Amino acid sequence: MLADQQLCNDSAQLHGLTLTSYVLDVVVVSLSLLIICGNLLVIISVIYFKQLHTPTNYLILSLAVTDLLVGALVLPFSTILSMSSCWYTGYLLCKMRGLFDILLCTSSILNLCCISIDRYYAVCHPLRYASRINVYVTLIMIILTWTISFLLSISITVREKDEQNHSWRCKIFMSTKESSPGPIFAFYIPTTLILAIYFKILMVAKQQAKRIKSTLKSEAALSKMEKKTNITLAIVLGVFLMCWSPYFLSMGLYSLRRFTIPVVVIEAFKWIGWSNSMLNPLVYAFFYRWFRHAFRMIISGRIFQGDYSSTSL
């Protein structure tokens, strides 16, 4: 045992001196800072400016908190543990990293699902939106999102068998029978729901555009409305699917044991999925001009020079 531990320590020291480890450290630190800073701007904006105290923005706030924790907790610990040769020395830390990973990534995806539901009522049922989606309903959605994510992460982490002892390495993904239901509830079901909702939104938006055309006889208004709707939905769906689909699909194939997929490839896909936490503020916040105005005021430090909480954005 002592010999194995000494060999492990020597390997870890040699591993830590490689150029790859330094490059990876720089990439992870940069990605973590971008995720933290971007989502922190969203959090401060929604909390500080009264104009942003709306049900939709509370859902965006919940998403920003989730993504910020991904950058602050999951990424740094994943890097440390995945590069460590002495996995057994960080067994508890590895389990905690897995717990936070499942909790926060699931919460992020479910928050996106809640935002799609909010947009569905706003576009498809605008007259009933205020009565159906209010602060209390939004709070219930947020609580359910975090509760489901917590229960799923606890269930998978507790049931997860220790299959990594022989490799002395903490993997950044789980692929056992105990964890197989996780992707179904954390990705496939929410993704199917999101796709169905946005498809419905797109259909309704086209119908509304046709009514505008028949009323205003304006091809320009129709073209502009359809173009804006298509671009928005393409960005929302494209970024989400681009980031998370490769990981969950490859992990599913890996779990079947019928396809040979290198572990390093699946881990690379996982990092792409985590990068969605950096892109979410761009898609769901920078897209709106009132958020951009709020960000400029925060970055310039104006909010520290007086009370601008009631400022019209």
Side-chain angles (χ1 to χ4, degrees):
M1 181 66 182
L2 292 176
D4 292 339
Q5 184 174 1
Q6 182 61 40
L7 180 61
C8 177
N9 291 335
D10 293 341
S11 175
Q13 292 175 359
L14 291 174
H15 190 275
L17 294 176
T18 61
L19 178 62
T20 304
S21 65
Y22 290 117
V23 173
L24 183 60
D25 288 341
V26 173
V27 172
V28 172
V29 170
S30 300
L31 182 60
S32 296
L33 289 176
L34 287 174
I35 291 175
I36 293 172
C37 293
N39 287 285
L40 192 60
L41 284 174
V42 177
I43 294 171
I44 295 175
S45 298
V46 175
I47 293 176
Y48 182 79
F49 293 101
K50 295 180 180 179
Q51 183 181 340
L52 301 181
H53 293 178
T54 64
T56 302
N57 291 334
Y58 289 144
L59 293 174
I60 294 178
L61 174 63
S62 177
L63 175 64
V65 171
T66 302
D67 290 336
L68 183 145
L69 292 176
V70 170
L73 296 177
V74 177
L75 266 65
F77 285 117
S78 297
T79 304
I80 295 171
L81 291 171
S82 64
M83 293 177 60
S84 175
S85 301
C86 303
W87 174 79
Y88 62 86
T89 62
Y91 174 79
L92 180 60
L93 189 60
C94 183
K95 285 292 185 180
M96 292 300 296
R97 186 219 64 83
L99 175 66
F100 282 116
D101 182 18
I102 300 172
L103 168 65
L104 296 175
C105 291
T106 302
S107 177
S108 181
I109 295 174
L110 292 182
N111 272 300
L112 295 176
C113 188
C114 290
I115 292 174
S116 68
I117 295 174
D118 173 84
R119 292 298 84 203
Y120 168 77
Y121 277 99
V123 175
C124 300
H125 303 284
L127 298 180
R128 291 184 291 175
Y129 175 75
S131 60
R132 294 292 182 88
I133 306 295
N134 51 47
V135 175
Y136 298 104
V137 173
T138 301
L139 181 60
I140 292 174
M141 294 172 68
I142 293 173
I143 292 175
L144 285 176
T145 293
W146 284 91
T147 301
I148 294 173
S149 302
F150 179 76
L151 294 177
L152 184 64
S153 61
I154 287 290
S155 175
I156 294 177
T157 304
V158 171
R159 295 175 59 200
E160 181 73 14
K161 294 181 179 179
D162 180 13
E163 295 184 355
Q164 306 180 95
N165 271 327
H166 300 292
S167 65
W168 307 104
R169 183 171 178 268
C170 181
K171 294 181 181 179
I172 66 172
F173 70 95
M174 298 179 179
S175 59
T176 62
K177 293 181 179 179
E178 288 75 14
S179 62
S180 57
I184 296 176
F185 293 100
F187 178 76
Y188 292 109
I189 292 179
T191 299
T192 302
L193 182 60
I194 291 173
L195 288 172
I197 289 174
Y198 277 121
F199 179 76
K200 177 64 175 179
I201 292 175
L202 181 60
M203 294 298 100
V204 172
K206 286 187 175 182
Q207 293 174 2
Q208 292 175 348
K210 290 181 180 179
R211 286 197 292 267
I212 291 176
K213 178 183 177 182
S214 61
T215 303
L216 302 179
K217 304 297 183 180
S218 174
E219 292 289 343
L222 173 64
S223 176
K224 183 178 180 180
M225 186 175 209
E226 287 186 339
K227 183 177 180 181
K228 184 176 181 180
T229 301
N230 292 335
I231 291 177
T232 303
L233 296 182
I235 292 175
V236 170
L237 294 177
V239 170
F240 172 71
L241 295 176
M242 178 184 65
C243 290
W244 281 113
S245 294
Y247 167 70
F248 282 103
L249 292 176
S250 63
M251 192 177 68
L253 296 175
Y254 182 86
S255 300
L256 295 175
R257 311 296 182 184
R258 295 180 181 178
F259 299 89
T260 303
I261 301 179
V263 173
V264 66
V265 173
I266 302 179
E267 293 187 349
F269 287 153
K270 188 60 178 288
W271 281 95
I272 295 175
W274 284 331
S275 69
N276 186 238
S277 295
M278 175 188 67
L279 299 175
N280 281 336
L282 300 178
V283 176
Y284 290 95
F286 282 88
F287 185 81
Y288 302 103
R289 58 181 177 80
W290 49 85
F291 269 108
R292 292 196 297 269
H293 188 194
F295 293 160
R296 285 195 293 267
M297 293 184 66
I298 295 172
I299 295 174
S300 64
R302 286 185 60 190
I303 64 172
F304 304 106
Q305 301 172 4
D307 185 8
Y308 293 92
S309 59
S310 299
T311 300
S312 176
L313 300 173

